[in-house]
């Protein structure tokens, strides 16, 4: 799950499975399989996807498939603790909220096999499902693999403190940032916050070089983390302040809106949120 196209394909697959489940002759066991969504990985991406999916089914899909919604089940599989970068109290709060949802399950296990219609866990149990979303770990793209620069054990491009690629860089002007790169001896988290800060730094550094100045090395300090857990509740994890529930959800939305790239988006996205809140999300396939 990396691109907008992936999100659209997941959405269409979910709606397609609902459409298939109402066809004549479909057994109850097959309905349950089609409407069982498995999410592998309990990091922020997996938890937020599960939360948004749960809201989508409960608030929007239920209106169209009221009788089939009872067969919906969302399983989040995580071998370790969910949201490992968050405070323990916030982890426990998320586990509690997930446990309160009758159609959402958290499984502490490892996935050893993924098939077209099921996943197999390390204890040998097989979970029939209609969709598997893999959100654990990052793998480099083919483009990154083919670049002849220095790489670390995870396949990321290794850069110096100025985000310049190490290794075969004859022109000395190739830079890398984001999930595909890591700073030598100062590893960065693979988060949007780190990538956005690195992008701002590099833009300013290139302008400084253009005027004959030598920029200081890039330094990243974590400003905190936010995660949505469903039902208009979120987690706020800051060094001096931690919160959960509806107040954290308001902060999560405000932080998201203020970090958008233009004033047009800062106006458009809240309007889209309001439209979805009043009229519901679009359930058509496209």
């Amino acid at each position: 799950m990396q691109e907008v196209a992936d999100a659209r394909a997941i959405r269409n697959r979910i709606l397609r499975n609902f459409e298939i489940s109402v066809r004549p002759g479909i057994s109850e066991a097959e309905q349950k399989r089609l409407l069982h969504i498995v999410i592998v990985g309990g990091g922020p991406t997996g938890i937020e996807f599960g939360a948004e999916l749960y809201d989508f089914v409960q608030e929007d899909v239920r209106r169209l498939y009221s009788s089939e919604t009872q067969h919906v089940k969302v399983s989040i599989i995580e071998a370790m603790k969910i949201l490992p970068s968050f405070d323990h109290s916030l982890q426990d709060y998320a586990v509690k909220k997930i446990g309160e949802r009758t159609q959402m399950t958290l499984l502490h296990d490892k996935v050893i096999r993924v098939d077209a219609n099921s996943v197999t866990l390390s204890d040998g149990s097989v979970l029939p499902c209609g969709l598997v979303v893999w959100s654990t770990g990052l793998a480099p793209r083919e483009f990154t693999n083919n670049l002849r620069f220095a790489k670390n054990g995870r396949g990321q491009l290794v850069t110096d403190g100025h985000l310049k690629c190490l290794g075969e860089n004859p022109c000395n002007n190739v830079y890398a940032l984001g999930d595909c790169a890591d700073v030598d001896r100062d590893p960065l988290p693979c988060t949007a916050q780190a990538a956005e800060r690195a992008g701002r730094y590099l833009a300013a550094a290139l302008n400084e070089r253009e005027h004959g100045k030598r920029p200081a090395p890039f330094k990243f300090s974590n400003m905190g983390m936010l995660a949505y857990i469903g039902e208009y509740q979120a987690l706020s994890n800051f060094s001096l302040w931690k919160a959960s529930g509806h107040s954290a959800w308001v902060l999560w939305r405000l932080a998201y809106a203020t970090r958008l790239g233009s004033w047009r988006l800062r106006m458009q996205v809240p309007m889209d949120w309001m439209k979805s809140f009043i009229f519901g999300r679009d359930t058509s396939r496209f």
Side-chain angles (χ1 to χ4, degrees):
M1 188 166 59
Q2 296 177 321
E3 308 285 352
V4 173
D6 298 331
R8 185 177 291 117
I10 291 171
R11 178 179 178 278
N12 288 339
R13 179 67 174 270
I14 293 169
L15 295 174
R16 172 180 169 272
N17 285 355
F18 269 96
E19 292 173 0
I20 295 175
S21 71
V22 299
R23 291 178 181 174
I26 298 294
S27 66
E28 183 175 336
E30 180 64 5
Q31 284 184 327
K32 290 181 178 180
R33 184 195 70 78
L34 286 167
L35 303 182
H36 183 197
I37 297 103
V38 173
I39 303 169
V40 185
T45 300
I47 296 300
E48 288 194 332
F49 173 76
E52 292 286 359
L53 174 62
Y54 184 84
D55 288 351
F56 179 56
V57 171
Q58 295 296 321
E59 298 173 7
D60 302 292
V61 178
R62 181 183 291 273
R63 294 184 288 106
L64 298 175
Y65 305 96
S66 55
S67 59
E68 285 70 30
T69 309
Q70 63 179 324
H71 298 310
V72 174
K73 184 179 180 181
V74 178
S75 296
I76 301 175
I77 304 175
E78 171 56 54
M80 308 298 286
K81 282 194 172 185
I82 64 171
L83 302 170
S85 54
F86 281 71
D87 184 79
H88 293 299
S89 63
L90 298 179
Q91 293 176 354
D92 294 340
Y93 183 85
V95 171
K96 174 187 173 185
K97 287 301 176 181
I98 293 173
E100 292 174 354
R101 297 165 187 166
T102 57
Q103 293 174 290
M104 202 169 188
T105 305
L106 178 61
L107 301 175
H108 293 286
D109 211 325
K110 293 181 180 180
V111 174
I112 60 174
R113 182 184 176 92
V114 178
D115 296 306
N117 298 322
S118 66
V119 297
T120 304
L121 305 183
S122 59
D123 61 3
S125 58
V126 178
L127 304 179
C129 57
L131 174 66
V132 180
V133 178
W134 193 275
S135 64
T136 175
L138 294 167
R141 293 296 187 93
E142 183 179 357
F143 174 79
T144 305
N145 283 331
N146 293 334
L147 293 176
R148 302 174 67 180
F149 296 114
K151 298 184 179 73
N152 61 16
R154 294 184 295 175
Q156 294 172 296
L157 301 173
V158 179
T159 72
D160 62 14
H162 299 279
L163 307 184
K164 190 177 297 183
C165 289
L166 300 178
E168 296 184 19
N169 192 354
C171 298
N172 204 34
N173 62 355
V174 180
Y175 300 83
L177 55 89
D179 292 349
C180 72
D182 203 12
V183 178
D184 187 33
R185 300 180 182 177
D186 189 15
L188 300 176
C190 294
T191 62
Q193 179 185 160
E196 190 260 355
R197 298 272 291 282
R200 289 178 179 271
Y201 162 83
L202 185 56
L206 292 176
N207 285 330
E208 289 182 15
R209 288 182 182 278
E210 185 70 19
H211 292 87
K213 300 178 182 178
R214 181 173 176 80
F218 174 65
K219 294 294 182 183
F220 174 74
S221 57
N222 196 331
M223 297 176 63
M225 299 188 70
L226 299 162
Y228 181 59
I229 58 173
E231 296 180 326
Y232 304 101
Q233 299 182 68
L235 306 175
S236 300
N237 189 66
F238 299 96
S239 58
L240 300 178
W241 180 65
K242 294 170 178 55
S244 58
H246 299 294
S247 60
W249 174 78
V250 173
L251 178 61
W252 176 74
R253 280 289 171 99
L254 289 174
Y256 187 96
T258 55
R259 303 310 295 177
L260 294 172
S262 67
W263 281 106
R264 181 182 69 84
L265 290 175
R266 290 170 193 162
M267 296 179 65
Q268 178 183 333
V269 170
M271 291 176 65
D272 289 340
W273 287 339
M274 183 61 67
K275 182 180 68 175
S276 297
F277 181 79
I278 297 173
F279 302 106
R281 301 170 184 83
D282 184 9
T283 55
S284 61
R285 290 169 59 189
F286 58 89

